[in-house]
Structures are given as C-alpha cells and as structure tokens.
Amino acid sequence: MMTEQEVKQLLIDTEAILEGHFLLTSGLHSPMYVEKFNVLQHPKYTETLCKELAERFRDQQVELVIGPMTGGILLAHEVGKALGTRAIFTEREKGVMTLRRGFKIEPGTRVLIVEDIVTTGGSVQEVVNVVNNSGGEIVGVGLLVNRSGGKAEFGVPMDKVQALLNLEVPTYQPDACPLCQAGTPMTERGSKHIK
Ligand SMILES: [Zn+2]
C-alpha cells in the first residue's frame, strides 16, 4: 500500500506537483502548481497509481468503472484493468455530462467512479448524477488527489470516498503573498522531460 507521502513524492518527481512561486489564472499567488498530465503522461506511473486505487475498492464487487473526460478516461481504463471490469467515461454534450458512444449502465450495476484531481467536485457530482439517473449503484468514488480541503461533496457518503492524496494548495492575494515579501521570483513554467 502506498502512503500519502509516497504518492505525493511520485507527483513531485514527475512534476505533477510543482513547487515555487506561481501566478495562477485567478490572479492569486501560490507556492504550488498542479499539472496532472505530467504524471498521467507516464503509463507506468498511471498504472501504479490506478492499481493502488483499485486495491482500495477490491472488496466492493465493482462491476463497472467510470470517469469523466479527459483524465478520468485514463484512470477508468487502468482501474478497470486492475479490477477486471468494464471501463467507460462520461463527456459533455451541449454542456451536459452524459454517456455517449453506446455506453450503458444497466440498473443495479455496481459502479466505481474515478477522477484524477478534485478541486470543487463539480465533475464528479455530474458523473454521480449520470450513474444515479441510469439506476447504477455507486459503491465508491476513487480520487488520485483531493485538493478541496475536504469541502468537495458529491452526494455520496464520505466513507465511500477514497483519495490517494489529500493536498492543501495555499493561495495568496498578491499584496499578502509571503513569497513576494521574501523577494522570491515568479517561477517560469516550462516543460522538462522526466524519465
Ligand atoms: Zn507572490
């Protein structure tokens, strides 16, 4: 079993978690930036994390794994592979999260929902709605990273929710940013290639 610290270290090593002094699109400053595809671009690490996620739900008799486009597709595939189940994904059609491509959830199917990083939980809530509307039975929600500070709720009991990593991402107003006050230059985000 991987500890949260081991998961965090893998994300740091692959630069999925970047540390420095970042200007966010919101205008806020942060000592941390999360770029999930920096880890998901490595199939072997995605597999490692998804096997770990799968183990957390091994005894739940999962019959179907589902995740939201885009990262959720990779996760559902790898978790489904580890559990020996079908794996499908939701996507938005005219802004509404839905099942396309002939994907079906039969009523009573035991469904595990997976997602990479949860900030507000909005996408997961939409997948929950899709599964509930199909009559599927949600047996769990598996997350790589929950950065909501425990605030995200999806209409699923919290004892069914598992995150490999709970991550606090501090943000500061520019005029109250301790990194600015320390004179730390802004971090340039370029792409480095990690093996
Ligand atoms: Zn700053």
Side-chain angles (χ1 to χ4, degrees):
M1 181 156 166
M2 291 178 87
T3 64
E4 281 198 84
Q5 190 52 46
E6 287 168 335
V7 171
K8 186 176 184 184
Q9 193 58 52
L10 175 56
L11 298 184
I12 289 171
D13 290 346
T14 55
E15 300 197 326
I17 295 175
L18 295 155
E19 293 174 307
H21 183 192
F22 299 97
L23 174 61
L24 306 179
T25 49
S26 60
L28 299 176
H29 293 193
S30 178
M32 201 181 287
Y33 189 81
V34 181
E35 184 52 87
K36 65 196 182 191
F37 270 96
N38 277 353
V39 67
L40 297 180
Q41 69 182 322
H42 299 283
K44 66 176 174 181
Y45 297 139
T46 304
E47 181 185 33
T48 299
L49 293 168
C50 288
K51 277 184 170 169
E52 181 64 31
L53 212 43
E55 283 313 309
R56 312 273 172 112
F57 298 96
R58 178 69 69 187
D59 58 356
Q60 292 299 317
Q61 293 92 43
V62 176
E63 296 175 308
L64 174 70
V65 185
I66 187 170
M69 204 177 212
T70 308
I73 300 176
L74 300 178
L75 264 69
H77 178 92
E78 287 296 330
V79 173
K81 197 164 75 180
L83 292 174
T85 69
R86 224 158 34 101
I88 65 175
F89 55 88
T90 62
E91 57 200 302
R92 286 200 179 83
E93 189 172 37
K94 299 193 178 87
V96 179
M97 196 72 95
T98 188
L99 291 174
R100 300 181 65 191
R101 303 169 202 277
F103 290 148
K104 282 196 177 62
I105 302 173
E106 299 296 335
T109 304
R110 295 177 65 81
V111 180
L112 171 62
I113 296 171
V114 292
E115 172 63 310
D116 42 39
I117 298 187
V118 159
T119 305
T120 63
S123 293
V124 173
Q125 178 69 66
E126 288 177 272
V127 179
V128 166
N129 295 344
V130 168
V131 175
N132 284 339
N133 290 341
S134 305
E137 184 187 346
I138 298 168
V139 298
V141 174
L143 312 171
L144 285 192
V145 180
N146 186 352
R147 50 175 289 185
S148 77
K151 291 191 201 76
E153 290 186 33
F154 330 108
V156 173
M158 287 314 285
D159 62 354
K160 290 189 177 180
V161 180
Q162 291 264 358
L164 295 189
L165 175 63
N166 291 286
L167 187 69
E168 295 285 335
V169 181
T171 55
Y172 308 109
Q173 295 291 342
D175 58 7
C177 174
L179 296 159
C180 285
Q181 285 159 18
T184 310
M186 284 288 176
T187 307
E188 298 284 340
R189 285 204 305 277
S191 52
K192 282 192 216 157
H193 295 281
I194 314 267
K195 287 197 182 121

PDB file of all heavy atoms in Angstrom, residues 34-63:
ATOM      1  N   VAL A  34      -0.317  22.424  -9.736  1.00  0.00           N
ATOM      2  CA  VAL A  34      -0.609  21.024 -10.049  1.00  0.00           C
ATOM      3  C   VAL A  34      -0.871  20.885 -11.544  1.00  0.00           C
ATOM      4  O   VAL A  34      -1.738  21.564 -12.097  1.00  0.00           O
ATOM      5  CB  VAL A  34      -1.832  20.536  -9.242  1.00  0.00           C
ATOM      6  CG1 VAL A  34      -2.108  19.072  -9.564  1.00  0.00           C
ATOM      7  CG2 VAL A  34      -1.592  20.704  -7.749  1.00  0.00           C
ATOM      8  N   GLU A  35      -0.084  20.063 -12.198  1.00  0.00           N
ATOM      9  CA  GLU A  35      -0.252  19.780 -13.628  1.00  0.00           C
ATOM     10  C   GLU A  35      -0.376  18.267 -13.776  1.00  0.00           C
ATOM     11  O   GLU A  35       0.607  17.556 -13.920  1.00  0.00           O
ATOM     12  CB  GLU A  35       0.936  20.325 -14.424  1.00  0.00           C
ATOM     13  CG  GLU A  35       0.811  20.165 -15.917  1.00  0.00           C
ATOM     14  CD  GLU A  35      -0.488  20.709 -16.476  1.00  0.00           C
ATOM     15  OE1 GLU A  35      -0.561  21.907 -16.799  1.00  0.00           O
ATOM     16  OE2 GLU A  35      -1.456  19.912 -16.565  1.00  0.00           O
ATOM     17  N   LYS A  36      -1.627  17.776 -13.696  1.00  0.00           N
ATOM     18  CA  LYS A  36      -1.846  16.330 -13.554  1.00  0.00           C
ATOM     19  C   LYS A  36      -1.290  15.517 -14.720  1.00  0.00           C
ATOM     20  O   LYS A  36      -0.830  14.395 -14.539  1.00  0.00           O
ATOM     21  CB  LYS A  36      -3.332  16.041 -13.384  1.00  0.00           C
ATOM     22  CG  LYS A  36      -4.168  16.408 -14.600  1.00  0.00           C
ATOM     23  CD  LYS A  36      -5.632  16.468 -14.265  1.00  0.00           C
ATOM     24  CE  LYS A  36      -6.454  16.775 -15.503  1.00  0.00           C
ATOM     25  NZ  LYS A  36      -7.845  17.083 -15.183  1.00  0.00           N
ATOM     26  N   PHE A  37      -1.303  16.097 -15.926  1.00  0.00           N
ATOM     27  CA  PHE A  37      -0.847  15.298 -17.059  1.00  0.00           C
ATOM     28  C   PHE A  37       0.660  15.079 -17.055  1.00  0.00           C
ATOM     29  O   PHE A  37       1.165  14.253 -17.809  1.00  0.00           O
ATOM     30  CB  PHE A  37      -1.356  15.866 -18.388  1.00  0.00           C
ATOM     31  CG  PHE A  37      -2.685  15.272 -18.739  1.00  0.00           C
ATOM     32  CD1 PHE A  37      -3.857  15.936 -18.435  1.00  0.00           C
ATOM     33  CD2 PHE A  37      -2.761  14.011 -19.313  1.00  0.00           C
ATOM     34  CE1 PHE A  37      -5.086  15.359 -18.715  1.00  0.00           C
ATOM     35  CE2 PHE A  37      -3.986  13.431 -19.604  1.00  0.00           C
ATOM     36  CZ  PHE A  37      -5.153  14.104 -19.300  1.00  0.00           C
ATOM     37  N   ASN A  38       1.382  15.788 -16.192  1.00  0.00           N
ATOM     38  CA  ASN A  38       2.814  15.485 -16.060  1.00  0.00           C
ATOM     39  C   ASN A  38       3.028  14.094 -15.483  1.00  0.00           C
ATOM     40  O   ASN A  38       4.024  13.446 -15.781  1.00  0.00           O
ATOM     41  CB  ASN A  38       3.515  16.528 -15.190  1.00  0.00           C
ATOM     42  CG  ASN A  38       3.883  17.762 -16.004  1.00  0.00           C
ATOM     43  OD1 ASN A  38       3.724  17.780 -17.223  1.00  0.00           O
ATOM     44  ND2 ASN A  38       4.360  18.781 -15.336  1.00  0.00           N
ATOM     45  N   VAL A  39       2.092  13.599 -14.672  1.00  0.00           N
ATOM     46  CA  VAL A  39       2.219  12.201 -14.227  1.00  0.00           C
ATOM     47  C   VAL A  39       1.446  11.269 -15.154  1.00  0.00           C
ATOM     48  O   VAL A  39       1.910  10.185 -15.477  1.00  0.00           O
ATOM     49  CB  VAL A  39       1.803  12.001 -12.747  1.00  0.00           C
ATOM     50  CG1 VAL A  39       0.334  12.220 -12.498  1.00  0.00           C
ATOM     51  CG2 VAL A  39       2.202  10.599 -12.273  1.00  0.00           C
ATOM     52  N   LEU A  40       0.273  11.708 -15.626  1.00  0.00           N
ATOM     53  CA  LEU A  40      -0.551  10.820 -16.457  1.00  0.00           C
ATOM     54  C   LEU A  40       0.093  10.518 -17.809  1.00  0.00           C
ATOM     55  O   LEU A  40      -0.290   9.571 -18.484  1.00  0.00           O
ATOM     56  CB  LEU A  40      -1.946  11.425 -16.656  1.00  0.00           C
ATOM     57  CG  LEU A  40      -2.785  11.590 -15.382  1.00  0.00           C
ATOM     58  CD1 LEU A  40      -4.148  12.188 -15.720  1.00  0.00           C
ATOM     59  CD2 LEU A  40      -2.958  10.280 -14.643  1.00  0.00           C
ATOM     60  N   GLN A  41       1.091  11.325 -18.219  1.00  0.00           N
ATOM     61  CA  GLN A  41       1.773  11.042 -19.484  1.00  0.00           C
ATOM     62  C   GLN A  41       2.703   9.836 -19.369  1.00  0.00           C
ATOM     63  O   GLN A  41       3.221   9.363 -20.372  1.00  0.00           O
ATOM     64  CB  GLN A  41       2.574  12.259 -19.946  1.00  0.00           C
ATOM     65  CG  GLN A  41       3.781  12.547 -19.070  1.00  0.00           C
ATOM     66  CD  GLN A  41       4.543  13.778 -19.517  1.00  0.00           C
ATOM     67  OE1 GLN A  41       4.680  14.032 -20.697  1.00  0.00           O
ATOM     68  NE2 GLN A  41       5.018  14.546 -18.552  1.00  0.00           N
ATOM     69  N   HIS A  42       2.917   9.360 -18.142  1.00  0.00           N
ATOM     70  CA  HIS A  42       3.744   8.172 -17.927  1.00  0.00           C
ATOM     71  C   HIS A  42       2.829   6.983 -17.656  1.00  0.00           C
ATOM     72  O   HIS A  42       2.334   6.824 -16.531  1.00  0.00           O
ATOM     73  CB  HIS A  42       4.661   8.349 -16.714  1.00  0.00           C
ATOM     74  CG  HIS A  42       5.626   9.485 -16.852  1.00  0.00           C
ATOM     75  ND1 HIS A  42       6.756   9.417 -17.630  1.00  0.00           N
ATOM     76  CD2 HIS A  42       5.608  10.730 -16.316  1.00  0.00           C
ATOM     77  CE1 HIS A  42       7.411  10.567 -17.562  1.00  0.00           C
ATOM     78  NE2 HIS A  42       6.734  11.375 -16.775  1.00  0.00           N
ATOM     79  N   PRO A  43       2.586   6.131 -18.646  1.00  0.00           N
ATOM     80  CA  PRO A  43       1.676   4.995 -18.427  1.00  0.00           C
ATOM     81  C   PRO A  43       2.053   4.141 -17.216  1.00  0.00           C
ATOM     82  O   PRO A  43       1.183   3.673 -16.490  1.00  0.00           O
ATOM     83  CB  PRO A  43       1.788   4.202 -19.731  1.00  0.00           C
ATOM     84  CG  PRO A  43       2.132   5.234 -20.749  1.00  0.00           C
ATOM     85  CD  PRO A  43       3.031   6.213 -20.034  1.00  0.00           C
ATOM     86  N   LYS A  44       3.351   3.967 -16.972  1.00  0.00           N
ATOM     87  CA  LYS A  44       3.725   3.081 -15.866  1.00  0.00           C
ATOM     88  C   LYS A  44       3.351   3.694 -14.515  1.00  0.00           C
ATOM     89  O   LYS A  44       2.973   2.988 -13.587  1.00  0.00           O
ATOM     90  CB  LYS A  44       5.210   2.719 -15.917  1.00  0.00           C
ATOM     91  CG  LYS A  44       6.170   3.849 -15.686  1.00  0.00           C
ATOM     92  CD  LYS A  44       7.614   3.340 -15.673  1.00  0.00           C
ATOM     93  CE  LYS A  44       8.574   4.529 -15.581  1.00  0.00           C
ATOM     94  NZ  LYS A  44       9.979   4.098 -15.592  1.00  0.00           N
ATOM     95  N   TYR A  45       3.451   5.013 -14.397  1.00  0.00           N
ATOM     96  CA  TYR A  45       3.080   5.647 -13.128  1.00  0.00           C
ATOM     97  C   TYR A  45       1.561   5.719 -12.987  1.00  0.00           C
ATOM     98  O   TYR A  45       1.019   5.569 -11.896  1.00  0.00           O
ATOM     99  CB  TYR A  45       3.696   7.037 -13.002  1.00  0.00           C
ATOM    100  CG  TYR A  45       5.207   7.034 -12.984  1.00  0.00           C
ATOM    101  CD1 TYR A  45       5.937   7.988 -13.666  1.00  0.00           C
ATOM    102  CD2 TYR A  45       5.904   6.056 -12.267  1.00  0.00           C
ATOM    103  CE1 TYR A  45       7.325   7.982 -13.655  1.00  0.00           C
ATOM    104  CE2 TYR A  45       7.287   6.037 -12.249  1.00  0.00           C
ATOM    105  CZ  TYR A  45       7.995   7.000 -12.945  1.00  0.00           C
ATOM    106  OH  TYR A  45       9.356   6.981 -12.935  1.00  0.00           O
ATOM    107  N   THR A  46       0.884   5.969 -14.118  1.00  0.00           N
ATOM    108  CA  THR A  46      -0.576   5.966 -14.092  1.00  0.00           C
ATOM    109  C   THR A  46      -1.063   4.586 -13.642  1.00  0.00           C
ATOM    110  O   THR A  46      -1.967   4.467 -12.818  1.00  0.00           O
ATOM    111  CB  THR A  46      -1.144   6.303 -15.487  1.00  0.00           C
ATOM    112  OG1 THR A  46      -0.599   7.552 -15.904  1.00  0.00           O
ATOM    113  CG2 THR A  46      -2.665   6.395 -15.462  1.00  0.00           C
ATOM    114  N   GLU A  47      -0.406   3.542 -14.180  1.00  0.00           N
ATOM    115  CA  GLU A  47      -0.767   2.175 -13.795  1.00  0.00           C
ATOM    116  C   GLU A  47      -0.524   1.943 -12.298  1.00  0.00           C
ATOM    117  O   GLU A  47      -1.370   1.375 -11.603  1.00  0.00           O
ATOM    118  CB  GLU A  47       0.038   1.173 -14.630  1.00  0.00           C
ATOM    119  CG  GLU A  47      -0.296  -0.281 -14.309  1.00  0.00           C
ATOM    120  CD  GLU A  47       0.585  -1.262 -15.062  1.00  0.00           C
ATOM    121  OE1 GLU A  47       1.769  -0.958 -15.325  1.00  0.00           O
ATOM    122  OE2 GLU A  47       0.079  -2.345 -15.397  1.00  0.00           O
ATOM    123  N   THR A  48       0.629   2.391 -11.823  1.00  0.00           N
ATOM    124  CA  THR A  48       0.959   2.226 -10.399  1.00  0.00           C
ATOM    125  C   THR A  48      -0.111   2.858  -9.512  1.00  0.00           C
ATOM    126  O   THR A  48      -0.610   2.247  -8.556  1.00  0.00           O
ATOM    127  CB  THR A  48       2.319   2.890 -10.092  1.00  0.00           C
ATOM    128  OG1 THR A  48       3.322   2.244 -10.872  1.00  0.00           O
ATOM    129  CG2 THR A  48       2.672   2.774  -8.617  1.00  0.00           C
ATOM    130  N   LEU A  49      -0.471   4.103  -9.826  1.00  0.00           N
ATOM    131  CA  LEU A  49      -1.452   4.831  -9.009  1.00  0.00           C
ATOM    132  C   LEU A  49      -2.839   4.189  -9.107  1.00  0.00           C
ATOM    133  O   LEU A  49      -3.556   4.075  -8.112  1.00  0.00           O
ATOM    134  CB  LEU A  49      -1.511   6.297  -9.452  1.00  0.00           C
ATOM    135  CG  LEU A  49      -0.238   7.109  -9.174  1.00  0.00           C
ATOM    136  CD1 LEU A  49      -0.278   8.439  -9.909  1.00  0.00           C
ATOM    137  CD2 LEU A  49      -0.049   7.322  -7.678  1.00  0.00           C
ATOM    138  N   CYS A  50      -3.188   3.745 -10.314  1.00  0.00           N
ATOM    139  CA  CYS A  50      -4.522   3.163 -10.507  1.00  0.00           C
ATOM    140  C   CYS A  50      -4.637   1.781  -9.858  1.00  0.00           C
ATOM    141  O   CYS A  50      -5.705   1.421  -9.361  1.00  0.00           O
ATOM    142  CB  CYS A  50      -4.856   3.097 -11.994  1.00  0.00           C
ATOM    143  SG  CYS A  50      -5.195   4.741 -12.673  1.00  0.00           S
ATOM    144  N   LYS A  51      -3.539   1.010  -9.865  1.00  0.00           N
ATOM    145  CA  LYS A  51      -3.557  -0.272  -9.148  1.00  0.00           C
ATOM    146  C   LYS A  51      -3.794  -0.028  -7.668  1.00  0.00           C
ATOM    147  O   LYS A  51      -4.529  -0.758  -7.002  1.00  0.00           O
ATOM    148  CB  LYS A  51      -2.224  -1.012  -9.342  1.00  0.00           C
ATOM    149  CG  LYS A  51      -2.141  -1.802 -10.629  1.00  0.00           C
ATOM    150  CD  LYS A  51      -0.826  -2.569 -10.679  1.00  0.00           C
ATOM    151  CE  LYS A  51      -0.817  -3.567 -11.827  1.00  0.00           C
ATOM    152  NZ  LYS A  51       0.542  -4.129 -12.032  1.00  0.00           N
ATOM    153  N   GLU A  52      -3.140   1.014  -7.148  1.00  0.00           N
ATOM    154  CA  GLU A  52      -3.302   1.379  -5.743  1.00  0.00           C
ATOM    155  C   GLU A  52      -4.757   1.761  -5.459  1.00  0.00           C
ATOM    156  O   GLU A  52      -5.355   1.327  -4.463  1.00  0.00           O
ATOM    157  CB  GLU A  52      -2.359   2.543  -5.420  1.00  0.00           C
ATOM    158  CG  GLU A  52      -2.399   3.000  -3.990  1.00  0.00           C
ATOM    159  CD  GLU A  52      -1.920   1.941  -3.008  1.00  0.00           C
ATOM    160  OE1 GLU A  52      -1.049   1.130  -3.368  1.00  0.00           O
ATOM    161  OE2 GLU A  52      -2.440   1.925  -1.879  1.00  0.00           O
ATOM    162  N   LEU A  53      -5.339   2.549  -6.362  1.00  0.00           N
ATOM    163  CA  LEU A  53      -6.737   2.956  -6.212  1.00  0.00           C
ATOM    164  C   LEU A  53      -7.657   1.733  -6.274  1.00  0.00           C
ATOM    165  O   LEU A  53      -8.587   1.590  -5.480  1.00  0.00           O
ATOM    166  CB  LEU A  53      -7.074   3.949  -7.328  1.00  0.00           C
ATOM    167  CG  LEU A  53      -8.088   5.055  -7.095  1.00  0.00           C
ATOM    168  CD1 LEU A  53      -7.924   5.726  -5.749  1.00  0.00           C
ATOM    169  CD2 LEU A  53      -8.006   6.064  -8.234  1.00  0.00           C
ATOM    170  N   ALA A  54      -7.365   0.839  -7.211  1.00  0.00           N
ATOM    171  CA  ALA A  54      -8.179  -0.363  -7.371  1.00  0.00           C
ATOM    172  C   ALA A  54      -8.188  -1.197  -6.091  1.00  0.00           C
ATOM    173  O   ALA A  54      -9.232  -1.738  -5.696  1.00  0.00           O
ATOM    174  CB  ALA A  54      -7.657  -1.195  -8.547  1.00  0.00           C
ATOM    175  N   GLU A  55      -7.015  -1.301  -5.441  1.00  0.00           N
ATOM    176  CA  GLU A  55      -6.929  -2.116  -4.221  1.00  0.00           C
ATOM    177  C   GLU A  55      -7.864  -1.610  -3.133  1.00  0.00           C
ATOM    178  O   GLU A  55      -8.382  -2.395  -2.330  1.00  0.00           O
ATOM    179  CB  GLU A  55      -5.487  -2.145  -3.697  1.00  0.00           C
ATOM    180  CG  GLU A  55      -4.575  -3.073  -4.479  1.00  0.00           C
ATOM    181  CD  GLU A  55      -5.200  -4.441  -4.715  1.00  0.00           C
ATOM    182  OE1 GLU A  55      -5.674  -5.080  -3.746  1.00  0.00           O
ATOM    183  OE2 GLU A  55      -5.235  -4.880  -5.887  1.00  0.00           O
ATOM    184  N   ARG A  56      -8.063  -0.278  -3.110  1.00  0.00           N
ATOM    185  CA  ARG A  56      -8.919   0.305  -2.063  1.00  0.00           C
ATOM    186  C   ARG A  56     -10.379  -0.134  -2.213  1.00  0.00           C
ATOM    187  O   ARG A  56     -11.169   0.012  -1.300  1.00  0.00           O
ATOM    188  CB  ARG A  56      -8.844   1.840  -2.106  1.00  0.00           C
ATOM    189  CG  ARG A  56      -7.431   2.409  -2.188  1.00  0.00           C
ATOM    190  CD  ARG A  56      -6.813   2.591  -0.843  1.00  0.00           C
ATOM    191  NE  ARG A  56      -5.407   2.959  -0.950  1.00  0.00           N
ATOM    192  CZ  ARG A  56      -4.908   4.151  -0.617  1.00  0.00           C
ATOM    193  NH1 ARG A  56      -5.699   5.082  -0.171  1.00  0.00           N
ATOM    194  NH2 ARG A  56      -3.613   4.387  -0.726  1.00  0.00           N
ATOM    195  N   PHE A  57     -10.736  -0.611  -3.430  1.00  0.00           N
ATOM    196  CA  PHE A  57     -12.129  -0.999  -3.693  1.00  0.00           C
ATOM    197  C   PHE A  57     -12.236  -2.468  -4.098  1.00  0.00           C
ATOM    198  O   PHE A  57     -13.249  -2.897  -4.637  1.00  0.00           O
ATOM    199  CB  PHE A  57     -12.719  -0.091  -4.789  1.00  0.00           C
ATOM    200  CG  PHE A  57     -12.752   1.355  -4.392  1.00  0.00           C
ATOM    201  CD1 PHE A  57     -11.744   2.223  -4.778  1.00  0.00           C
ATOM    202  CD2 PHE A  57     -13.788   1.851  -3.612  1.00  0.00           C
ATOM    203  CE1 PHE A  57     -11.757   3.553  -4.397  1.00  0.00           C
ATOM    204  CE2 PHE A  57     -13.823   3.179  -3.223  1.00  0.00           C
ATOM    205  CZ  PHE A  57     -12.802   4.034  -3.620  1.00  0.00           C
ATOM    206  N   ARG A  58     -11.166  -3.223  -3.841  1.00  0.00           N
ATOM    207  CA  ARG A  58     -11.081  -4.624  -4.261  1.00  0.00           C
ATOM    208  C   ARG A  58     -12.250  -5.458  -3.733  1.00  0.00           C
ATOM    209  O   ARG A  58     -12.736  -6.361  -4.395  1.00  0.00           O
ATOM    210  CB  ARG A  58      -9.739  -5.197  -3.774  1.00  0.00           C
ATOM    211  CG  ARG A  58      -9.490  -6.648  -4.060  1.00  0.00           C
ATOM    212  CD  ARG A  58      -9.290  -6.953  -5.528  1.00  0.00           C
ATOM    213  NE  ARG A  58      -8.040  -6.418  -6.057  1.00  0.00           N
ATOM    214  CZ  ARG A  58      -7.732  -6.461  -7.365  1.00  0.00           C
ATOM    215  NH1 ARG A  58      -8.545  -7.015  -8.228  1.00  0.00           N
ATOM    216  NH2 ARG A  58      -6.597  -5.945  -7.782  1.00  0.00           N
ATOM    217  N   ASP A  59     -12.713  -5.164  -2.508  1.00  0.00           N
ATOM    218  CA  ASP A  59     -13.759  -5.999  -1.886  1.00  0.00           C
ATOM    219  C   ASP A  59     -15.162  -5.434  -2.108  1.00  0.00           C
ATOM    220  O   ASP A  59     -16.105  -5.838  -1.426  1.00  0.00           O
ATOM    221  CB  ASP A  59     -13.479  -6.162  -0.381  1.00  0.00           C
ATOM    222  CG  ASP A  59     -13.418  -4.823   0.336  1.00  0.00           C
ATOM    223  OD1 ASP A  59     -13.523  -3.779  -0.343  1.00  0.00           O
ATOM    224  OD2 ASP A  59     -13.268  -4.819   1.570  1.00  0.00           O
ATOM    225  N   GLN A  60     -15.307  -4.519  -3.049  1.00  0.00           N
ATOM    226  CA  GLN A  60     -16.618  -3.886  -3.273  1.00  0.00           C
ATOM    227  C   GLN A  60     -17.397  -4.502  -4.437  1.00  0.00           C
ATOM    228  O   GLN A  60     -18.420  -3.958  -4.854  1.00  0.00           O
ATOM    229  CB  GLN A  60     -16.445  -2.379  -3.524  1.00  0.00           C
ATOM    230  CG  GLN A  60     -15.957  -1.610  -2.305  1.00  0.00           C
ATOM    231  CD  GLN A  60     -16.925  -1.701  -1.149  1.00  0.00           C
ATOM    232  OE1 GLN A  60     -18.139  -1.596  -1.333  1.00  0.00           O
ATOM    233  NE2 GLN A  60     -16.413  -1.932   0.050  1.00  0.00           N
ATOM    234  N   GLN A  61     -16.916  -5.631  -4.972  1.00  0.00           N
ATOM    235  CA  GLN A  61     -17.585  -6.293  -6.107  1.00  0.00           C
ATOM    236  C   GLN A  61     -17.947  -5.308  -7.212  1.00  0.00           C
ATOM    237  O   GLN A  61     -19.072  -5.271  -7.719  1.00  0.00           O
ATOM    238  CB  GLN A  61     -18.849  -7.051  -5.661  1.00  0.00           C
ATOM    239  CG  GLN A  61     -18.576  -8.258  -4.771  1.00  0.00           C
ATOM    240  CD  GLN A  61     -18.608  -7.903  -3.288  1.00  0.00           C
ATOM    241  OE1 GLN A  61     -19.478  -7.163  -2.841  1.00  0.00           O
ATOM    242  NE2 GLN A  61     -17.658  -8.404  -2.532  1.00  0.00           N
ATOM    243  N   VAL A  62     -16.944  -4.471  -7.567  1.00  0.00           N
ATOM    244  CA  VAL A  62     -17.150  -3.480  -8.631  1.00  0.00           C
ATOM    245  C   VAL A  62     -17.416  -4.194  -9.951  1.00  0.00           C
ATOM    246  O   VAL A  62     -16.757  -5.180 -10.281  1.00  0.00           O
ATOM    247  CB  VAL A  62     -15.896  -2.577  -8.771  1.00  0.00           C
ATOM    248  CG1 VAL A  62     -16.051  -1.606  -9.943  1.00  0.00           C
ATOM    249  CG2 VAL A  62     -15.633  -1.825  -7.465  1.00  0.00           C
ATOM    250  N   GLU A  63     -18.423  -3.717 -10.681  1.00  0.00           N
ATOM    251  CA  GLU A  63     -18.742  -4.293 -11.992  1.00  0.00           C
ATOM    252  C   GLU A  63     -18.406  -3.344 -13.142  1.00  0.00           C
ATOM    253  O   GLU A  63     -18.318  -3.768 -14.296  1.00  0.00           O
ATOM    254  CB  GLU A  63     -20.240  -4.644 -12.054  1.00  0.00           C
ATOM    255  CG  GLU A  63     -20.625  -5.730 -11.054  1.00  0.00           C
ATOM    256  CD  GLU A  63     -22.120  -5.980 -11.026  1.00  0.00           C
ATOM    257  OE1 GLU A  63     -22.897  -5.003 -10.867  1.00  0.00           O
ATOM    258  OE2 GLU A  63     -22.507  -7.144 -11.177  1.00  0.00           O
TER     259      GLU A  63
END
